[in-house]
Amino acid sequence: MKSTPMKITRALAAIAMLALLAGCSILPKHEDITIYTAVAQSAPSPSWPQVRAQLAIARPTAERMLADPRIVVRPSPGELQVYRGATWAEPPPEMVQRSLLQLLEDSGRLKGVATRGGGLSSDYELATDIRRFDSDYAGGNAPNAVVEIAARLVSNDGRVVAFRVFHAETPATSTAVPAVAQAFQQSLAKDSQDIAGWALGTMANGR
C-alpha cells in the first residue's frame, strides 16, 4: 500500500507529459484550401459566321508555373508568388481548353468541334500557348487578372493558317481572392470570345 502515492505521482506525470506533447505537436497544422474556377458561362456572338468545317482544340501549352493549379500573383515586376489557401479547380491549360470548347459548342457555328484526340476527323486544329495567367498588381492597390494567349489555327496538312496573340486584363474589385477569381473569369471569357470569333472568321474566309 505504501507504493500507492508513488504510482499516483507517476500517473500524473505521464498525463502531464502527454498534454505537453499534444500542445507541442510537430505535425503540420491542417490548412483549409478554397477552390476556384476561372471558367464562366460565356455567350456566343450572333455575328459569328457559320463554318462548314470540323475543329479540334489542342490542350494549351504553358510554362511550368502556369501549368500548375496554384493561383499565381505578381506583386511586383519580375516577382511571382502564389496565393496561400487557394487553388484552381484545374490547371489553366485545362480551363482555357474547356472554355473554348464550351463556347464553340454552344455557338453551333461548326460542323463539329472536340478536343484533340476526341475521335474527330478535323479540318483545322486550334493550338494555343498560355503566356500570362496571373494576378498582377503593377504598382496598384488591387491587382488585374491578366490572361494572355497566343493562338495558331493549323490546317489538317500542318500549315499554320493564322496566328494572333490575345490579351485581356480585368481589374479586381479588391485584393480578396474571390474578387481576383471573378476578375479571372471575365478575362478568360473575353479571350475565349475573341479567339473563337477570330478562328471562325478565318475558317469562313478559307484562309
Side-chain angles (χ1 to χ4, degrees):
M1 297 295 293
K2 291 182 181 181
S3 62
T4 300
M6 180 65 70
K7 290 180 179 180
I8 293 173
T9 300
R10 288 175 179 173
L12 291 173
I15 292 170
M17 181 61 70
L18 287 172
L20 180 62
L21 289 173
C24 302
S25 174
I26 62 173
L27 294 175
K29 293 183 179 179
H30 174 72
E31 183 180 15
D32 291 332
I33 302 294
T34 304
I35 300 173
Y36 298 91
T37 182
V39 179
Q41 188 68 34
S42 185
S45 171
S47 65
W48 289 348
Q50 194 75 33
V51 181
R52 295 194 59 78
Q54 298 196 131
L55 177 68
I57 301 176
R59 183 186 184 276
T61 58
E63 62 171 286
R64 182 179 58 84
M65 197 162 188
L66 297 182
D68 190 276
R70 292 176 297 178
I71 304 174
V72 177
V73 57
R74 193 184 298 262
S76 61
E79 180 184 3
L80 294 177
Q81 298 182 12
V82 295
Y83 286 105
R84 293 188 59 184
T87 185
W88 293 123
E90 52 191 342
E94 274 74 18
M95 288 193 288
V96 170
Q97 186 182 40
R98 187 155 62 88
S99 180
L100 289 167
L101 177 63
Q102 288 179 181
L103 184 57
L104 286 165
E105 283 180 335
D106 293 345
S107 75
R109 298 299 199 276
L110 288 158
K111 285 176 60 180
V113 58
T115 57
R116 187 170 68 183
L120 182 74
S121 179
S122 60
D123 302 294
Y124 295 92
E125 179 176 285
L126 179 60
T128 54
D129 178 65
I130 302 173
R131 294 184 174 185
R132 296 278 304 272
F133 207 99
D134 57 80
S135 170
D136 189 352
Y137 274 81
N141 294 324
N144 290 331
V146 181
V147 177
E148 184 173 286
I149 302 170
R152 291 174 176 81
L153 191 63
V154 184
S155 63
N156 57 10
D157 61 1
R159 179 173 55 91
V160 177
V161 176
F163 170 81
R164 185 172 164 186
V165 177
F166 298 85
H167 183 97
E169 290 191 33
T170 305
T173 56
S174 75
T175 59
V177 180
V180 173
Q182 188 174 34
F184 268 108
Q185 289 182 352
Q186 296 178 50
S187 289
L188 178 55
K190 183 180 186 308
D191 269 358
S192 297
Q193 288 177 325
D194 290 346
I195 292 170
W198 165 80
L200 288 169
T202 302
M203 288 184 285
N205 291 329
R207 287 183 285 172

